[in-house]
């Protein structure tokens, strides 16, 4: 591997680590290097590695909550369910819509949803929706007030993230804000929801990788995993720290600008108008 390959590895791992949890769409950002700079796809093994990195980051950051929820969930199988056990069950419930939608529509999305135009449109539309939800928020509910109805509604919103450009974190935070949750609770539940989703996506990628075989550069993958994990960890910490101060509008304006750039890329390409 030459310097250019290492630069691509580092940049793509940072992009994955940051955009996995910020409400700005990872697919919208990962398509830009290939469209604007001509970078080649790093391969399925690299995708698995950076997803492992982001998964380890979110589990580590919420390690106390995750361990408490896991133990409480286990206790609830044979006895009463406390607040942490209830939250664990609600995470499971909210994961089901995306899981079933992924199994049913993954092929369709893969075939028709990867175009620059679709990603640009989703980036703009769901960015506007995030801004509307944040401006109309009531912020009267905390994460402990989450109900089964809330979990289903947020889970159904999460299923929309199968559309590239939507942003999984963005759409789940949007749904939680619309349901009256405070920003911190909306973000924290979104991050907890990411754990089974990233894990499930990683399992599917590993299955595909085992079918295809691997001529992977393991040092490159290891570096990508480490960089993605560290950038994701920093992203989660800073996002939660600054969230109440800056709100969602900086991300909304960023999404609008990004969506316009993607539209221009599409118009300038062979499938566009010029």
């Amino acid at each position: 591997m030459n310097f250019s390959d290492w630069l691509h590895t580092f940049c793509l791992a940072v992009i994955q680590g940051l955009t996995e949890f910020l409400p700005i769409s990872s697919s919208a950002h990962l398509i830009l290097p290939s469209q604007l700079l001509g970078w080649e796809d790093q391969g399925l093994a690299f995708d698995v590695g950076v997803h492992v990195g982001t998964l380890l980051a979110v589990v580590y950051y919420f390690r106390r909550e995750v361990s408490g929820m896991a133990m409480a969930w286990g206790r609830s199988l044979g006895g009463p369910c406390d607040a942490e056990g209830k939250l664990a069950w609600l995470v499971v419930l909210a994961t089901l819509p995306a899981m079933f939608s992924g199994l049913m529509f993954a092929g369709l999305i893969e075939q028709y949803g990867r175009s620059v135009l679709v990603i640009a449109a989703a980036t703009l539309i769901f960015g506007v929706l995030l801004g509307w939800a944040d401006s109309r928020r009531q912020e009267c509910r905390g994460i402990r007030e989450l109900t089964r109805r809330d979990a289903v509604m947020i889970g159904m919103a999460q299923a929309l993230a199968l559309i590239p450009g939507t942003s999984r974190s963005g759409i789940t935070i949007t749904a939680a804000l619309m349901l009256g949750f405070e920003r911190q609770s909306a973000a924290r539940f979104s991050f907890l929801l990411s754990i089974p989703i990233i894990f499930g996506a990683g399992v599917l990628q590993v299955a595909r990788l085992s079918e295809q075989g691997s001529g992977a550069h393991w040092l490159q993958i290891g570096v990508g995993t480490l960089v993605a994990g560290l950038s994701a960890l920093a992203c989660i910490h800073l996002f939660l720290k600054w969230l109440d101060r800056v709100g969602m509008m900086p991300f909304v304006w960023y999404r609008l600008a990004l969506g316009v750039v993607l539209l221009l890329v599409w118009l300038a390409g062979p499938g566009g108008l010029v």
Side-chain angles (χ1 to χ4, degrees):
M1 291 180 62
N2 55 35
F3 175 78
S4 178
D5 293 329
W6 284 113
L7 179 62
H8 296 178
T9 296
F10 180 83
C11 290
L12 292 174
V14 170
I15 290 172
Q16 178 64 42
L18 295 179
T19 59
E20 183 69 48
F21 298 108
L22 292 179
I24 54 176
S25 172
S26 59
S27 55
H29 287 77
L30 291 171
I31 198 173
L32 282 175
S34 62
Q35 292 289 326
L36 297 181
L37 303 175
W39 290 6
E40 295 182 1
D41 191 327
Q42 296 294 300
L44 186 57
F46 181 80
D47 289 343
V48 172
V50 293
H51 275 87
V52 169
T54 55
L55 177 62
L56 293 175
V58 69
V59 170
Y60 177 78
Y61 190 87
F62 292 101
R63 58 193 180 279
R64 293 185 180 86
E65 290 94 328
V66 170
S67 61
M69 289 165 58
M71 290 186 290
W73 181 81
R75 291 193 300 269
S76 72
L77 296 176
C81 188
D82 59 16
E84 288 186 317
K86 175 188 173 185
L87 183 57
W89 279 110
L90 292 176
V91 167
V92 172
L93 180 61
T95 301
L96 295 179
M99 184 182 72
F100 289 129
S101 298
L103 292 173
M104 293 175 62
F105 302 115
L108 192 65
I109 295 296
E110 191 69 29
Q111 184 175 0
Y112 297 107
R114 295 293 177 182
S115 74
V116 177
L117 180 60
V118 169
I119 294 174
T123 299
L124 291 168
I125 292 169
F126 291 106
V128 170
L129 187 60
L130 174 61
W132 180 84
D134 192 53
S135 66
R136 304 269 304 212
R137 73 189 187 284
Q138 298 177 357
E139 291 200 345
C140 59
R141 304 173 67 192
I143 196 170
R144 297 298 182 184
E145 299 175 70
L146 196 75
T147 66
R148 282 177 291 183
R149 176 181 175 275
D150 297 325
V152 170
M153 297 294 288
I154 296 172
M156 291 175 67
Q158 182 172 240
L160 293 174
L162 289 169
I163 304 171
T166 301
S167 171
R168 191 210 60 81
S169 62
I171 195 63
T172 51
I173 291 173
T174 297
L177 291 174
M178 293 173 68
L179 290 168
F181 286 90
E182 59 189 10
R183 285 173 176 156
Q184 286 286 335
S185 294
R188 285 181 174 274
F189 189 65
S190 174
F191 291 154
L192 290 173
L193 271 183
S194 74
I195 295 173
I197 289 296
I198 297 175
F199 178 79
V203 169
L204 291 177
Q205 287 177 323
V206 168
R208 289 172 57 192
L209 186 63
S210 64
E211 292 175 358
Q212 296 178 7
S214 175
H217 297 281
W218 293 109
L219 180 59
Q220 176 199 22
I221 294 169
V223 170
T225 301
L226 178 63
V227 172
L230 291 176
S231 57
L233 192 62
C235 172
I236 295 169
H237 175 72
L238 294 176
F239 181 73
L240 291 175
K241 181 179 179 180
W242 293 339
L243 180 57
D244 289 330
R245 187 185 312 168
V246 303
M248 293 294 171
M249 290 313 297
F251 303 105
V252 172
W253 288 114
Y254 178 82
R255 285 185 67 132
L256 295 180
L258 178 62
V260 170
V261 170
L262 289 170
L263 282 178
L264 293 175
V265 169
W266 177 74
L267 289 172
L273 299 179
V274 293

